[in-house]
Amino acid sequence: MGNTTNILRDRPLGELDVDLSTEDVRMFEEHGYLPIERITTEDEIAWLGRIYDELFQEKQGGTPGGYFDLSRPYDSEGPNQQPQLLLPEKVFPALLETCFQRNGRRIAARLLGEDPDRLHVGGHMILKPARHGSELPWHQDEAYWDPGLAYEAVGVWMPLDEATLESGCLQFIPGSHRADVLPHHHVGGDPTVHALEADEVDPDTAVAVPIAAGGAVVHHCRTLHYSGPNRSGNVRRAYTNEFQAPPQQRTCPAYRPWLEQTREAWARRSIS
Ligand code: NI
């Protein structure tokens, strides 16, 4: 990519160490999510923004087919609704050495009661364009994952632009992480649309969590969450790192028939 060398040369060196209080840990255990006021420096947010924009401009994920729009059929034509790219750290390994990454790993290890070095990380970036970025329906992240494995994981979600109710900040159902994975379906009943939606969610108890750029919200892989459409005049860029403890083999796989549909639809994609 054209600007890669310049971007890497300009990497900021600022440091910020975030540690959780006992009250933070208690809040996460009770509700399944935890806002973090600030997780990285202003300089790093600006630098990450350059990488982010470069990757979306080039439609470059870290794996074959790792760039697609979450909200419409794979490889369909049309304006962006909610483009996502997977594993950006495979394109820019420097993303594994950021302040955001280090703080996220430390926070995740504390919340999961794990050795930080044992946590597997995978990044993804989700962009809601100004004025027409779609909603992401209510779901649990674990609904997307291998039903043969049992997971303990947290996502550390950081907006690069202020995330407000109007621009599509995350919303949560407090305490939902204590339930199992609910039945899900593909949005619109179309398996070629990647986004999943939980079959039945009562949003009456939902809590919206607006976050400034460079803040973060951490959530458990079974916490029900949602983000609304972007009705603001600004792009809403978000970058998540998902930290997973080593998953355990289940004696009996969970029943997640929607994943079979995902696999078939993905296999039919034309990926070069
Ligand atoms: Ni999610």
Side-chain angles (χ1 to χ4, degrees):
M1 291 185 287
N3 298 322
T4 303
T5 310
N6 286 343
I7 291 175
L8 292 179
R9 192 189 58 209
D10 295 343
R11 189 176 149 220
L13 298 171
E15 293 290 332
L16 173 78
D17 288 331
V18 180
D19 283 307
L20 300 185
S21 66
T22 309
E23 179 60 21
D24 289 333
V25 176
R26 195 199 60 75
M27 154 96 190
F28 176 82
E29 286 173 352
E30 183 176 346
H31 298 301
Y33 68 92
L34 176 70
I36 307 283
E37 194 174 335
R38 176 151 285 276
I39 195 165
T40 188
T41 64
E42 288 293 331
D43 286 348
E44 189 169 277
I45 298 163
W47 179 75
L48 287 171
R50 291 173 63 191
I51 290 185
Y52 198 105
D53 294 344
E54 176 87 0
L55 289 170
F56 276 92
Q57 198 174 342
E58 301 288 332
K59 302 188 175 183
Q60 167 92 55
T63 53
Y67 173 93
F68 53 86
D69 198 304
L70 277 169
S71 299
R72 56 183 168 85
Y74 294 131
D75 308 319
S76 59
E77 296 293 327
N80 282 337
Q81 294 179 15
Q82 194 157 210
Q84 158 172 287
L85 60 89
L86 302 173
L87 305 178
E89 64 276 10
K90 290 197 183 296
V91 185
F92 283 105
L95 292 175
L96 296 171
E97 294 160 22
T98 60
C99 196
F100 171 47
Q101 180 82 221
R102 274 195 306 281
N103 282 321
R105 181 173 290 273
R106 185 184 309 116
I107 290 166
R110 175 93 187 271
L111 295 177
L112 294 170
E114 263 291 348
D115 178 344
D117 295 334
R118 275 169 49 88
L119 297 179
H120 172 267
V121 67
H124 61 129
M125 295 171 162
I126 302 182
L127 185 152
K128 286 187 195 281
R131 292 197 182 84
H132 59 273
S134 305
E135 69 168 9
L136 199 56
W138 287 103
H139 68 279
Q140 294 158 298
D141 288 346
E142 195 177 346
Y144 285 88
W145 301 349
D146 186 341
L149 300 173
Y151 294 92
E152 284 300 329
V154 297
V156 182
W157 185 95
M158 178 177 75
L160 300 181
D161 309 287
E162 185 178 21
T164 62
L165 200 53
E166 190 189 17
S167 73
C169 67
L170 289 190
Q171 302 187 35
F172 299 95
I173 304 288
S176 52
H177 62 304
R178 287 194 288 269
D180 204 346
V181 174
L182 300 172
H184 282 61
H185 58 273
H186 288 269
V187 168
D190 181 351
T192 70
V193 177
H194 194 78
L196 295 173
E197 178 171 22
D199 287 0
E200 283 185 32
V201 174
D202 174 3
D204 280 0
T205 57
V207 176
V209 183
I211 291 279
V217 58
V218 183
H219 67 85
H220 188 270
C221 58
R222 284 189 292 281
T223 309
L224 278 161
H225 57 289
Y226 165 92
S227 62
N230 184 0
R231 297 195 170 93
S232 79
N234 303 313
V235 64
R236 195 232 62 187
R237 298 170 297 175
Y239 179 14
T240 303
N241 279 314
E242 190 78 38
F243 292 95
Q244 273 181 3
Q248 306 293 313
Q249 200 74 41
R250 287 176 181 263
T251 39
C252 180
Y255 181 62
R256 293 180 195 153
W258 57 89
L259 288 174
E260 192 54 43
Q261 298 175 335
T262 308
R263 246 190 314 275
E264 286 171 11
W266 186 275
R268 286 197 301 271
R269 288 184 67 188
S270 52
I271 293 168
S272 53

